[in-house]
Each structure stands twice: as structure tokens, then as C-alpha cells.
Amino acid sequence: MSQRTIVVLGGGVGGLVVANDLRRRLPDHHRVVLVEKNPEHAFAPSFLWLMTGDRKPEKITRPLHTLVRDGVQIINAEVVRIDIPHRSIATSTETLTFDYLVIALGADLAPETVPGLVEIAHSFYTLAGAKQLQRELAGFTGGKIALVVSSLPYKCPGAPHEGAMLVADYLDRSGIRDKVDIDLYTPETQPMPVAGPQVGDAVKQMLDSTGVAFHPLHKLVSVNPQTREINFEGKAPVPFDLLIAIPPHRAPSVVRDAGLTNESGWIPVDRFTLKTRDENVYAIGDIAALSILGRWKPEVPMMLPKAGVFAHDQAQIVAERITGEIRGLTPRAEFCGAGYCMLEAGEGLAGFAFGDFFGEPSPRLQLRQIGRVWHFGKVLFERWWLSPFGMRRAMLRHIINIGSRLLKIPVKA
């Protein structure tokens, strides 16, 4: 086989998995190039624990090169231009050509698009933001905390609810919970609407049990930093003492400038193969737009949620398909739309939502009763993901043994 060059843009969950899987599957003479501007990888699911002081930054970050397989070429640079017709990528340090391209650049946060949000809102959606929010919570003595979903879509549908419940738990441990009102506002009709009313009601019960007031159908318009008020469309201004926001999300400008996005603002892909409309170009993870049936209003298309679990599975599918094509085989691997989420509830407890998002005639999703086992599972996954790549196999076996003893399930040798 003649040499092929596969360029992967973005070193988040999807980018790391697809680069590592391609390197494992392909002979050494093929190039696998990973372009990522940050030399340090931060594990985003742990930002919530950083917010509550249960993690230190150094415990949830790793040098990017320790998380990739030997033979993956890493270029620490920013993607400046994507030129599909000429099969080239211009970065801040060099220009690359590709035979296959996998775009895994994720979603950018754009708080500046909401007037007043940058000036006064805090967020746990970045490492720096979660660190600053922990300091704010540590010094908080009482009042009104508003947690606001700025717009749709956003990464990790469960994160706002987890964030609200973990803040409540933190304040309870700090001894000031009775001095604080916590309100969660969202433009959605219910928590995690793609999951349907049964799961939504279960999440609302989880919120109620921690004293978090849930306010659906609140579309954010602006924030007034001077009066410390939130303005929602068609609603009276809402006062706050501490504002936590999930900022608006959008595709990075480099993909918009390349003409890769559609009217949704994201890159459209085939929902089974993750192919874009351009030959040998794939998009995975948060940057991809995958339509699914609207569960409760089938005539209204919904988007597959943006979550790391989907990026992980999509990456494996794309790696298998690219490898098959290079080997002259007919690729058969398809993304099935299955997903899950461990929903942190505080006090070392978590729920577990899972299901088939491509289910017909509608997605089929369930939420398991909250318990310590789901929280423990999230902790174990964090430890596995942040392990040096060469140690992951041993770490996975260790995790399976621990989980099996916990669940009393025998493990085959």
C-alpha cells in the first residue's frame, strides 16, 4: 500500500481516540498526524469536581503526548485554514496535506454574544472558569445563585443539572445551604428533553430533592452587571448574587470560514458513517450535526446531544472505516447512536441515564436510580482516561476487577 496521510484536527476525546485507533490499525508507513493547539489535555468531565474543590487542576490535566500511542505525530499548533479543494491544512507553524481528514475541533464558547455575560458570569465549562468559580463558592456567604443555560445546543446535556446539584451539596457541606436559593433556568421545556418526559421528570425529582428550583422556557436575552439582574424573553428581570452560566456554543470560525457548516451552524455528517459531503473528510464529536427523530414531536427534528461518549464511539467507527478503505476493503462499521451519562447528584451519589438515540420510532432512554456505584464508575473512568497511554490496558483490567467485585459479577480470565 502506498503511504497515506491522515490528519486529525483537535485533541479532545474524539481526536485522541481516532488518532490512537488509526495508529493501532494501520502499518507504520502511513502517517497519523494530530493537530492540537494545547500541549496540556484537560479532562472536561472533572471540571465539576474542580468547581467544588474535590479536584486540583494538576489531577485532571496531563501532557497531551502522554495520552497518545507511539507513532502518532503531534503538532502543537492552531488550525488557521482548512482548504478542502487543495487537501491542505494551514496551521500556525506549518502547512499539511492530507489524504483523509478527521475534524474533531469541538465547540467554541461564545459568552460575548450575550450582552453582559462576560462581565459578571462564571462557568464550569473551562478549566480556568471552574477554578475561579471554586474561589467564588468558597467565599460565598448567602443569597441567590442563578445557573443559566444561555442557548442551545450545549455540551453534555446533564451538566447544568449536575452543576446545580453539586453546588447545593457543596454549600450544604459548607454549612450555609439554608442561606442560599439556587435556581436553574433553561430555554428547554424540561431537563434533557431528548430523553423524553419520563427521564425529564426523574431529573426534576433529583433537583427537587436538593432544593434546586427548575425554571424551563426561559430564553436568555441579556445580563445587567450593574443591577445584577438577568433578562429573559417575555419575563420579569431576575435578581442574583452569583451567576453561573453555560455560555453559548458555536463551531470554530475556521470551519465556518471553510464553508463546512450548514444552517444549524455545525458540520453536517451522515449519521451512520460520520462522512461529510466532501470525499475522505469526516467530522466527529461536538462539531458534528447529527439529526435524530424528535421523540415527543416527531415532525420536529432534534440533534444528537453533544457529549464525549458519542465522540468516543464515533472516533472508533471512523478509524475502522478509514482503515478499511486504505486496505481496499468495504467499510461496514456504523455509528449506532447508543449513549449514556453518569449524572452527579452530590453526596457521592449519581444517576445513570442510557439508551438508543437512533431508536425507532423514537429514542429509547432510561434513568437508573441514583446510587454510589454510578459515581464510582465515573471516578474510575476519570482515572483510566488520565492514565499514560502505555498503562491503560493494565488500568482497564484493574478497573474491571474493582467494578466486578463491587457489582458481584464474576470476571472471566
Side-chain angles (χ1 to χ4, degrees), residues 3 15 31 68 126 240 275 286-287 309 312 340 344 362 403 406:
Q3 183 194 64
R31 287 181 73 200
V68 299
T126 66
F240 66 89
K275 281 188 173 183
D286 296 340
I287 204 167
V309 64
H312 193 288
Y340 63 87
E344 289 289 301
S362 64
L406 184 68

Side-chain angles (χ1 to χ4, degrees), residues 53-314:
D54 295 306
R55 293 292 186 279
K56 299 294 183 183
E58 61 271 18
K59 294 296 184 182
I60 61 172
T61 57
R62 294 290 186 273
L64 184 70
H65 69 85
T66 66
L67 302 178
V68 299
R69 185 182 290 272
D70 289 343
V72 174
Q73 180 185 352
I74 299 175
I75 296 178
N76 286 131
E78 186 168 359
V79 180
V80 176
R81 186 175 64 257
I82 301 173
D83 187 343
I84 299 298
H86 293 93
R87 320 298 281 177
S88 71
I89 304 295
T91 77
S92 53
T93 61
E94 60 187 282
T95 297
L96 304 165
T97 58
F98 64 85
D99 296 292
Y100 290 87
L101 177 65
V102 183
I103 305 172
L105 288 169
D108 283 351
L109 304 181
E112 70 279 1
T113 60
V114 177
L117 202 63
V118 171
E119 290 84 349
I120 200 166
H122 298 274
S123 178
F124 50 76
Y125 265 59
T126 66
L127 183 73
K131 287 168 59 178
Q132 177 59 35
L133 183 51
Q134 202 286 317
R135 291 191 286 268
E136 292 292 324
L137 289 172
F140 196 70
T141 57
K144 295 181 177 294
I145 296 179
L147 199 153
V148 180
V149 176
S150 299
S151 64
L152 307 176
Y154 57 90
K155 295 185 284 187
C156 190
H161 317 96
E162 289 183 284
M165 290 186 286
L166 288 176
V167 166
D169 180 55
Y170 175 84
L171 297 174
D172 186 53
R173 287 183 280 139
S174 301
I176 64 167
R177 182 66 184 89
D178 59 343
K179 299 178 183 179
V180 182
D181 294 325
I182 304 176
D183 294 88
L184 172 56
Y185 300 91
T186 178
E188 300 157 302
T189 57
Q190 63 165 68
M192 302 168 64
V194 72
Q198 184 176 0
V199 172
D201 287 343
V203 175
K204 279 194 285 186
Q205 290 176 18
M206 293 171 67
L207 292 168
D208 288 342
S209 69
T210 58
V212 174
F214 178 72
H215 306 274
L217 299 174
H218 277 67
K219 183 179 179 181
L220 179 63
V221 175
S222 64
V223 179
N224 189 325
Q226 286 72 43
T227 62
R228 303 182 80 87
E229 290 181 324
I230 310 166
N231 298 307
F232 295 103
E233 187 176 88
K235 311 284 185 181
V238 173
F240 66 89
D241 295 294
L242 176 61
L243 174 59
I244 303 172
I246 285 76
H249 289 40
R250 65 182 178 188
S253 59
V254 69
V255 300
R256 291 185 275 121
D257 293 344
L260 289 164
T261 56
N262 63 6
E263 64 279 359
S264 73
W266 308 94
I267 302 178
V269 297
D270 182 281
R271 72 174 187 166
F272 298 112
T273 67
L274 292 311
K275 281 188 173 183
T276 70
R277 55 189 168 226
D278 296 296
E279 185 180 6
N280 294 349
V281 178
Y282 296 80
I284 61 174
D286 296 340
I287 204 167
L290 281 79
S291 295
I292 60 176
L293 292 173
R295 179 167 184 167
W296 309 112
K297 291 185 178 179
E299 71 278 6
V300 180
M302 297 184 75
M303 301 292 290
L304 184 76
K306 299 185 181 301
V309 64
F310 296 124
H312 193 288
D313 287 354
Q314 291 165 8

Side-chain angles (χ1 to χ4, degrees), residues 4-24:
R4 297 288 188 271
T5 297
I6 306 99
V7 174
V8 180
L9 304 182
V13 171
L16 284 172
V17 172
V18 75
N20 283 328
D21 213 20
L22 283 165
R23 185 69 286 162
R24 177 179 67 85

